[in-house]
Amino acid sequence: MITHPSSGLIVHLTHAGGAVWATVSGEIDHANAETFGRALTGNVLRACDRLEVDLSRVDFFDCAGLNALLKAVTVADRTGATLHLSDVSPAVRRVLDLTGTGPLLGRTGKDATDAAPSNRPPQRRVAVGHRRARVHAA
C-alpha cells in the first residue's frame, strides 16, 4: 500500500501472476500526483504484463493526476504492458471526457461507468505526447 498522508491518497496494490491491480482512493492533485504516478509506473517497470487501475473511489482528480496517468500509459506502452482503467469515479470521468483522453485508457463517455476490465491490449495506440485535447462548450 502506498499513501500520501497529507492528502489522504491511498494506492492499494494487489499482485497476481503477471498482473497488478491498483485500487486508488482519496484525492489526486498537484500535491500527490507524483506519488500516484510512481505507484503506477513502478509496478509497470517491475515487468507486470497488465496494470488494472480502479479509480472509482477517487473524490477529486485534476490535470496533474491525468498527466501522471498518461505518463504511466506511456511507460506501459514502452515496456509492452497494458494499462486499463477498470472503473472510474464521476470526478475522474469528467476530466477524461473534457480532455478527450478516455479512449487512450479504454474509456468512452457514459459507457465508461459500465466498462469491464479488459484482458487484451488496446486495438489502437495513440502517441500521448502528440495528441491535443479539445474541449467543446455545450
Side-chain angles (χ1 to χ4, degrees):
M1 184 167 11
I2 298 167
T3 63
H4 190 269
S6 63
S7 67
L9 172 70
I10 298 172
V11 181
H12 185 266
L13 302 168
T14 306
H15 300 261
V20 174
W21 283 265
T23 304
V24 185
S25 60
E27 297 184 357
I28 303 172
D29 59 20
H30 72 284
N32 60 20
E34 187 175 336
T35 300
F36 169 65
R38 277 195 313 252
L40 300 182
T41 58
N43 285 288
V44 169
L45 293 174
R46 287 189 195 107
C48 76
D49 298 326
R50 188 176 81 241
L51 177 60
E52 292 284 338
V53 183
D54 179 349
L55 298 174
S56 64
R57 296 180 185 125
V58 173
D59 302 322
F60 181 83
F61 189 78
D62 69 5
C63 60
L66 177 62
N67 190 38
L69 192 58
L70 293 174
K71 283 181 182 178
V73 169
T74 301
V75 170
D77 190 47
R78 195 173 51 224
T79 62
T82 60
L83 186 151
H84 182 265
L85 296 183
S86 60
D87 201 1
V88 297
S89 68
V92 175
R93 185 177 55 244
R94 182 174 188 270
V95 172
L96 297 178
D97 289 349
L98 286 172
T99 60
T101 53
L104 293 173
L105 303 158
R107 315 294 299 174
T108 55
K110 294 177 185 174
D111 298 332
T113 54
D114 298 324
S118 172
N119 292 331
R120 59 187 160 91
Q123 294 180 2
R124 186 181 79 156
R125 294 188 185 245
V126 178
V128 175
H130 301 287
R131 184 167 185 207
R132 288 195 151 167
R134 293 191 178 107
V135 178
H136 299 282

